Amino acid sequence: MEPEKGSRFLFTEGKEYAVPIIRNRCIVPDDVTDADYFRVQVVGLEKGQIIKTNKVLVRQEG
């Protein structure tokens, strides 16, 4: 998947979702929040080069 400037990638149950970051926020899809946990990675472009953060595990309770 080719990232757009300021994209957030969410990973859960073997699926990947690309969600745009708008005004420093993004909306997490319901398919992602239905799981007990998901991973987040922010991907951006700078001078034509792709920059990625480490994936972070987010656990949900309740």
Side-chain angles (χ1 to χ4, degrees), residues 17-31:
Y17 301 81
V19 180
I21 299 172
I22 300 170
R23 297 183 193 149
N24 294 322
R25 297 178 185 202
C26 75
I27 296 174
V28 179
D30 288 339
D31 289 349

Side-chain angles (χ1 to χ4, degrees), residues 9-52:
F9 287 81
L10 306 165
F11 305 87
T12 185
E13 298 178 358
K15 298 178 184 174
E16 182 177 318
Y17 301 81
V19 180
I21 299 172
I22 300 170
R23 297 183 193 149
N24 294 322
R25 297 178 185 202
C26 75
I27 296 174
V28 179
D30 288 339
D31 289 349
V32 174
T33 59
D34 288 344
D36 293 335
Y37 66 89
F38 60 93
R39 288 181 171 78
V40 177
Q41 179 180 41
V42 178
V43 179
L45 290 173
E46 184 173 333
K47 298 179 183 176
Q49 185 171 357
I50 297 172
I51 300 171
K52 299 179 181 181

